[in-house]
Amino acid sequence: LVLMRKLLPSLAVALLLPSLALAGPPVKKPAKPKPTPAAPAPVPVPVELSEETIAKRDQLLSDAKGKSDMAEFLEARVLYRNALAVDHDSADARKGLAAVETECLASAKRQMSEAKVYQAANNDSEAMKSLELALKYADEPKYKEHQQIKDMIAALKRNSER
């Protein structure tokens, strides 16, 4: 019995080794290619703004903030865009513009909803007015609402021609 305990592990190994030898060498998975490091982004050269440019930017930002506070978002958006045109690195202008654009898009969505209500009531002229105002709020093609409004206007025009 003692001899069997000592020989059993050796026997098991001897029996398994031929099957392992027939399987061949272990297969290695191909190594994943390492990503090539991206070229470093060019470091923007800070542009020194003249005192006149700084004053103009600050005035535009001040006016835009005032319009935004009075909920005149269309005018505020124009002023923030002008401030960015003067100083494209202005964080205040970018932040203000983002907030105003959010409000403008919310207004565009409200106008779109009003247009649908007018259209359901067969008041196409008021629906068109609402859509034209919505298009002023969503004035750039980059907004999904812009295309939706364009599609609604086209559908309204088609329905009016019938």
Side-chain angles (χ1 to χ4, degrees):
L1 189 62
V2 173
L3 184 62
M4 195 171 188
R5 281 188 187 164
K6 288 183 181 179
L7 293 177
L8 190 59
S10 312
L11 184 62
V13 170
L15 290 175
L16 289 178
L17 281 180
S19 64
L20 290 176
L22 292 176
V27 177
K28 292 184 180 178
K29 292 183 181 177
K32 291 183 181 177
K34 293 182 181 179
T36 56
V43 178
V45 178
V47 177
E48 292 293 324
L49 300 175
S50 67
E51 288 182 25
E52 181 181 316
T53 303
I54 292 171
K56 184 175 180 180
R57 178 203 59 202
D58 290 345
Q59 183 61 48
L60 287 167
L61 288 174
S62 175
D63 292 348
K65 176 80 170 116
K67 293 289 186 183
S68 180
D69 289 345
M70 295 186 329
E72 296 176 8
F73 299 117
L74 292 175
E75 294 88 354
R77 182 174 60 193
V78 169
L79 292 167
Y80 277 123
R81 287 176 177 169
N82 289 341
L84 274 174
V86 170
D87 178 10
H88 64 277
D89 292 329
S90 174
D92 292 335
R94 288 187 194 286
K95 183 179 174 185
L97 180 60
V100 167
E101 283 181 337
T102 299
E103 292 295 331
C104 285
L105 292 177
S107 294
K109 289 176 185 176
R110 279 193 296 278
Q111 292 301 320
M112 290 168 65
S113 294
E114 281 186 26
K116 289 176 185 175
V117 170
Y118 285 128
Q119 197 172 10
N122 293 323
N123 191 346
D124 291 348
S125 63
E126 289 300 316
M128 186 59 78
K129 288 178 186 175
S130 291
L131 290 173
E132 288 170 352
L133 182 56
L135 201 53
K136 288 180 183 178
Y137 282 110
D139 65 338
E140 292 186 352
K142 69 179 181 181
Y143 305 126
K144 68 177 181 182
E145 291 83 357
H146 180 85
Q147 188 59 48
Q148 291 171 346
I149 295 164
K150 290 277 196 179
D151 293 343
M152 289 175 72
I153 289 172
L156 189 60
K157 285 181 179 178
R158 278 193 308 271
N159 291 340
S160 297
E161 292 173 358
R162 290 182 185 171

